[in-house]
Amino acid sequence: MILEFKNIHKSFGDKKVLKDVSFTAESGKAFGLLGRNGAGKTTSIRILMNVFPADSGQVLLDGKPIDYKKVGLGYLPEERGLYPKKQIMEQLVYFAELKGMGRRAAADSVDRWLERLGMREYRTKRLDTLSKGNQQKIQLITALAHDPDIVILDEPFSGLDPVNAMLLKDVVKEQIAKGKIVLFSSHQMSYIEEFCDSIAVIHEGKVALSGDLRDIKRNYVRDRLVVRAADPQPIRADFGAACTEGGDGALILQMRDPAEKQTVMKRLVEQYDIDGVKVFEPSLNDIFVEYAGEQA
């Protein structure tokens, strides 16, 4: 499946929220939709989910307008929307039925997901008796129980401890492996970088950058090296101002020309005790700051 946003415009009154937004996401891959608060991410998601229409432009699946009666969407919102006083099993089955499942199939699916997420013991509990992280897992079940074709995850790792974050990672990888279209919206760049093949950065309602993340990184000038050494002092002394401190104890060497890469690497390996050397690539956080103008 190929999901396309094509020249989407959306205004609320006099405020233009989306201005000619276009991007493409594919099944079996994760897509990251990035931007500062107010950039237009949530509006894009709501148009995709048919909450309201675009003023102009199209949302296409395999080249055709989405048939929402046939294509299932699963949505994990940033602002959680379950009923705190209701029994967990009762409301999960209810939400699955709203998305087209029969009651028996919904109950079976919910039970499988409660088991998968280690939550079966809470099936008869009220939601407000659970921790924030466990409430997040219950909310995730509402997005996945009906086996949607398109999965939209808005800040999915918010509030999760490292163990539950690892569990969610496994679930996301399973959805990608099943050939779903998985769309992330998050400010946690490390997760986007881990999962997403492609991204779009929306800035002030326009797509400032989009495409394959690896290609985007490789298009940056490759004129710096990341060097790791047990004793970095000789390297710092010899390279002088061209050598700066990087993260995690690494050194960053600035070359005069990218064509010097092989020569400088050879010199490093031959003259110093090197643990590792590679071409510097910007992190997704660096890219986000450049195109969206705010530290993630």
Side-chain angles (χ1 to χ4, degrees), residues 251-269:
L251 300 176
I252 306 296
L253 295 186
Q254 178 69 55
M255 296 177 288
R256 289 171 297 182
D257 190 301
E260 294 181 341
K261 178 178 64 177
Q262 297 299 333
T263 301
V264 175
M265 282 183 168
K266 185 173 185 291
R267 174 185 169 187
L268 288 166
V269 172

Side-chain angles (χ1 to χ4, degrees), residues 63-127:
K64 300 177 181 178
I66 296 178
D67 185 343
Y68 290 97
K69 294 180 180 179
K70 297 180 179 179
V71 177
L73 281 82
Y75 178 42
L76 175 67
E78 180 178 6
E79 298 296 330
R80 313 314 179 203
L82 297 181
Y83 300 108
K85 304 297 183 183
K86 292 290 186 180
Q87 185 191 85
I88 287 168
M89 184 69 181
E90 177 185 338
Q91 62 177 310
L92 286 176
V93 170
Y94 169 72
F95 281 115
E97 288 182 291
L98 286 181
K99 294 167 184 174
M101 299 189 79
R103 187 166 185 81
R104 171 49 56 189
D108 289 345
S109 179
V110 167
D111 268 331
R112 286 194 298 272
W113 275 108
L114 287 169
E115 184 74 28
R116 174 70 179 84
L117 298 179
M119 299 293 293
R120 189 171 175 80
E121 65 183 283
Y122 301 107
R123 67 197 307 272
T124 60
K125 302 289 186 182
R126 289 188 346 189
L127 187 73

